[in-house]
Amino acid sequence: MPKSKPSVIVTRRLPDVVETRMRELFDARLSLDDRPMTQAELVEAVKSCEVLVPTVTDTIDAAVISQAGPQLRLIANYGNGVDNIDVQTALNRGITVTNTPGVLTEDTADMTMALILAVPRRIAEGMAVIREGEWNGWSPTWMLGHRIWGKRLGIIGMGRIGQAVARRARAFGMSIHYHNRRRLPGSVEEGLEATWWESLDQMLARMDVISIHCPHTPATYHLLSARRLKLIRPEAFVVNTARGEVIDENALARMLEAGELAGAGLDVFEHEPAVNPKLVRSKRVVLLPHMGSATIESRVDMGERVIINIKTYQDGHRPPDRVLPSML
Ligand code: 8YV
């Protein structure tokens, strides 16, 4: 990439401070209307820019990448998950892919903890009763939920966010269990007081709350399949702030409707922004519109990571957050 200002196309509106900095540093084409780009517009973008900055709402698949012009050198994703990008195809064409890890860990873990509390304690239901003017006063047996203290939390995917959730859940008196491709070093397990389960199936059958923190990859697509969801105890809750595709959403919705699971807290969905109508109708769920990293602090920090990745690459160095297919 030449040392002059690189041409950068950003697909969505970013916080003002990030856009201002991008305008200073790059020949930046920013989104004026914050509308997700169509596939045709993405193709147009990769034909003209040196750096593309997409988000989770852009599908940068092989069809888009194969039409990229030779000037496209870097896809600097604004986000941690890169399941919206065909990383292997990009690499095959010599295009570097980066993401924004680390900066949204604590906020996503907070939102997870909020859901772990909100669903068993029926927070959204309580709020709805007041909002609809239906509260007739306190009763000893009304609106009873379930205690969190002393319950077993099963974390699927014990990376940065999974561990940040474990730290919070310990403080709420939960015992920590996890399933991960690789077992954590003993010192980390000890620090988190976490028990590793080699078998996901066995862990699922014994937990009170299941929380998903693995990336969406071909290997984790429908990891919580209809078969595995049936292994979960009917008194248990499922929380997902990772990616909707990791759960068979139809099967989950059917089971919640049939009372075969106690509840779910979902921040992500299989076909965003569409949400299964059975979930929307269910009283057993708390649903959020993909807000895990939605704090001004996270979104500014994500922008700064994107800028660092572009600058480093432009200066001829390996960007700090390079994503390789072997990491997925
Ligand atoms: C982001 C996320 O908001 O970073 C991720 O992987 O899921 C979200 O927190 C989104 O990806 C931004 O593109």
Side-chain angles (χ1 to χ4, degrees):
M1 192 184 295
K3 286 270 155 75
S4 62
K5 285 185 175 184
S7 62
V8 176
I9 294 185
V10 184
T11 64
R12 301 296 299 270
R13 287 226 49 196
L14 302 182
D16 286 347
V17 52
V18 176
E19 292 196 339
T20 302
R21 193 75 189 120
M22 283 186 161
R23 262 196 222 97
E24 286 164 6
L25 291 170
F26 312 131
D27 172 14
R29 202 173 95 200
L30 304 173
S31 165
L32 298 176
D33 55 10
D34 198 32
R35 178 181 54 79
M37 281 189 179
T38 62
Q39 292 311 99
E41 286 168 330
L42 286 172
V43 167
E44 197 47 47
V46 296
K47 280 182 173 165
S48 62
C49 66
E50 293 168 86
V51 180
L52 181 71
V53 180
T55 75
V56 69
T57 56
D58 304 301
T59 304
I60 316 296
D61 55 15
V64 170
I65 295 172
S66 64
Q67 295 186 70
Q71 84 299 326
L72 182 72
R73 309 304 307 143
L74 176 64
I75 300 173
N77 195 46
Y78 181 84
N80 192 23
V82 288
D83 53 330
N84 54 317
I85 302 169
D86 186 333
V87 177
Q88 184 65 63
T89 302
L91 198 78
N92 293 347
R93 292 185 55 118
I95 300 164
T96 298
V97 177
T98 59
N99 66 346
T100 62
V103 292
L104 42 79
T105 305
E106 304 303 332
D107 290 336
T108 307
D110 282 347
M111 196 59 112
T112 307
M113 203 61 224
L115 289 173
I116 291 174
L117 293 169
V119 184
R121 294 305 305 272
R122 306 177 66 178
I123 287 175
E125 280 178 81
M127 169 88 186
V129 168
I130 293 193
R131 182 167 274 162
E132 282 150 31
E134 285 172 1
W135 189 32
N136 297 319
W138 186 87
S139 148
T141 53
W142 178 71
M143 231 358 141
L144 304 187
H146 289 278
R147 179 181 293 163
I148 281 301
W149 185 270
K151 296 287 162 60
R152 287 164 300 210
L153 172 64
I155 295 176
I156 302 177
M158 200 58 145
R160 286 189 198 85
I161 298 174
Q163 292 181 36
V165 170
R167 283 193 291 277
R168 283 159 176 74
R170 276 303 299 141
F172 279 86
M174 303 187 86
S175 63
I176 308 301
H177 303 257
Y178 76 98
H179 171 80
N180 200 46
R181 269 181 303 185
R182 279 180 298 276
R183 187 172 180 171
L184 297 178
S187 57
V188 180
E189 269 186 6
E190 269 166 42
L192 297 169
E193 296 177 76
T195 303
W196 181 60
W197 293 73
E198 187 168 10
S199 158
L200 174 59
D201 288 6
Q202 285 180 17
M203 182 177 89
L204 290 175
R206 287 168 180 80
M207 296 299 120
D208 300 301
V209 181
I210 303 287
S211 191
I212 297 178
H213 299 289
C214 60
H216 164 222
T217 66
T220 64
Y221 174 78
H222 282 193
L223 186 66
L224 287 197
S225 57
R227 178 190 73 77
R228 285 214 173 96
L229 285 167
K230 287 206 177 75
L231 298 174
I232 300 174
R233 301 163 57 244
E235 304 81 22
F237 301 90
V238 174
V239 170
N240 189 4
T241 54
R243 282 292 181 270
E245 290 89 339
V246 179
I247 305 184
D248 180 339
E249 190 174 291
N250 267 324
L252 177 73
R254 271 199 312 273
M255 286 182 66
L256 287 163
E257 192 174 51
E260 292 163 12
L261 277 175
L266 307 174
D267 182 46
V268 287
F269 302 90
E270 204 174 330
H271 305 288
E272 293 180 13
V275 180
N276 188 309
K278 283 198 180 101
L279 291 176
V280 178
R281 281 197 304 268
S282 174
K283 280 203 161 188
R284 298 171 187 272
V285 298
V286 174
L287 308 177
L288 296 174
H290 201 143
M291 288 165 59
S293 69
T295 66
I296 185 64
E297 291 87 351
S298 266
R299 296 290 162 85
V300 169
D301 290 352
M302 288 160 69
E304 278 171 11
R305 296 296 317 170
V306 168
I307 290 171
I308 288 168
N309 283 312
I310 300 174
K311 277 292 291 165
T312 321
Y313 189 81
Q314 184 200 5
D315 293 344
H317 304 294
R318 177 179 295 176
D321 304 319
R322 193 165 66 137
V323 179
L324 296 174
S326 58
M327 296 155 93
L328 302 175

